[in-house]
Amino acid sequence: MDFAQLATFQAVIESGSFDAAARELHVTPSAVSQRIKALERSVGQVLVRRTKPCVPTPAGEALVRFAGQVALLEREAIGQARGGTRVSIVVNADSLHTWFLPALAAVPGPQYELHTNDEYYTADLLRSGTAMAAVTADDTAVQGCRIERLGALRYLAVGRPDDTAMILYDRRDRLQHRFMETDESDLPIHYVPSASGFIEAIRMGLGWGMVPDWIARADIAAGRYVDLHPGRHLDVPLYWQYWRIGSEVLDELTAAVKAAAAPYLR
């Protein structure tokens, strides 16, 4: 496969247009178009939907991952000589807020690009090729990825006894509903899309929600709120999925992630 064509395809998908890719690659838009057409001829499939922004077709999605993997190995090889490899990771907000960042600090060489999403949706960014690794609740390995179990993040339902509202991170957040074992709730809902803001909203009495147990227990001991259901908890199993490409950086990061997670996950 022609690597110039592959790099051009990746630039089109990441930038969203042929013109933007041309500026990034310092070539003409015509050259970008010719490379994409040549790549599509060699694969025998249409790979790019010419929309605004450009997006990969179903056939192109697998190639997005492949192009990203090739680019990572290339950057890693160059980085060993010059310094600097970019690694894109998607992680759920609670892990990012609590135990995850020390793993990055333990592997300081790369340039990290972090994305956040609900743990039940983080693997979607692996499938699309946007992320090279993910902290996810999905226990099914994405094609071309390795998967390792990290442990379970335990949550407690906390708030004030008279709380009449429920706090959610965003509209994808179903953690509180899973704890209540229902898909519906007649309680008012506040959406607070920040891990620290979510916890602070509960401390201020805005409503109740699910909080990682080691944070919750410290707050309960300090009298900031109470355990609304003593003896009950919700465990969310978390996994580390990453591209299976023989990358030294990803291997080092995997070891650091497992070490950082161990004291916090059950």
Side-chain angles (χ1 to χ4, degrees):
M1 189 170 290
D2 186 294
F3 289 123
Q5 295 171 6
L6 197 62
T8 302
F9 169 75
Q10 184 185 30
V12 168
I13 298 304
E14 288 185 351
S15 66
S17 74
F18 282 49
D19 287 343
R23 290 193 295 272
E24 180 180 326
L25 298 172
H26 305 291
V27 298
T28 65
S30 176
V32 170
S33 180
Q34 290 172 11
R35 290 178 186 178
I36 296 300
K37 288 178 180 177
L39 183 60
E40 290 176 329
R41 283 196 300 269
S42 67
V43 174
Q45 297 277 352
V46 174
L47 301 173
V48 180
R49 287 198 179 102
R50 275 70 165 174
T51 55
K52 293 184 178 181
C54 292
V55 295
T57 64
E61 288 178 356
L63 203 60
V64 171
R65 292 193 298 273
F66 178 66
Q69 291 166 358
V70 170
L72 173 61
L73 292 175
E74 181 182 29
R75 287 195 300 269
E76 192 168 309
I78 295 173
Q80 289 177 351
R82 299 180 181 173
T85 299
R86 184 175 61 85
V87 177
S88 176
I89 305 167
V90 58
V91 58
N92 60 308
D94 284 334
S95 293
L96 181 61
H97 178 60
T98 52
W99 62 267
F100 185 75
L101 286 177
L104 304 188
V107 187
Q111 302 169 40
Y112 292 109
E113 179 181 357
L114 298 181
H115 306 266
T116 58
N117 208 337
D118 185 276
E119 59 268 19
Y120 289 92
Y121 296 93
T122 48
D124 292 346
L125 274 70
L126 278 177
R127 294 186 182 93
S128 69
T130 302
M132 305 167 185
V135 175
T136 177
D138 192 339
D139 62 355
T140 302
V142 173
Q143 184 177 8
C145 292
R146 290 191 176 95
I147 182 170
E148 300 198 30
R149 194 178 193 278
L150 296 174
L153 183 54
R154 176 163 292 183
Y155 289 87
L156 302 181
V158 298
R160 297 181 181 178
D162 57 350
D163 280 339
T164 59
M166 182 166 60
I167 299 179
L168 303 185
Y169 184 83
D170 57 25
R171 295 183 185 276
R172 282 185 160 184
D173 181 8
R174 307 300 292 175
L175 206 60
Q176 285 67 215
H177 295 83
R178 290 189 181 95
F179 181 79
M180 296 187 300
E181 299 179 343
T182 178
D183 290 331
E184 302 297 334
S185 173
D186 56 1
L187 294 177
I189 295 175
H190 302 298
Y191 295 99
V192 184
S194 158
S196 58
F198 182 98
I199 295 169
E200 191 61 29
I202 298 174
R203 289 171 177 165
M204 295 178 67
L206 197 61
W208 75 274
M210 306 299 294
V211 172
D213 67 338
W214 68 90
I215 297 175
R217 294 189 191 284
D219 280 349
I220 291 168
R224 297 188 180 99
Y225 45 62
V226 300
D227 185 344
L228 297 175
H229 299 274
R232 288 188 60 199
H233 58 263
L234 180 66
D235 285 349
V236 177
L238 293 177
Y239 303 85
W240 175 246
Q241 292 207 40
Y242 59 103
W243 285 353
R244 188 174 60 239
I245 57 173
S247 162
E248 291 182 10
V249 168
L250 288 182
D251 289 343
E252 289 180 26
L253 185 59
T254 295
V257 167
K258 292 167 68 176
Y264 296 94
L265 304 187
R266 296 173 180 269

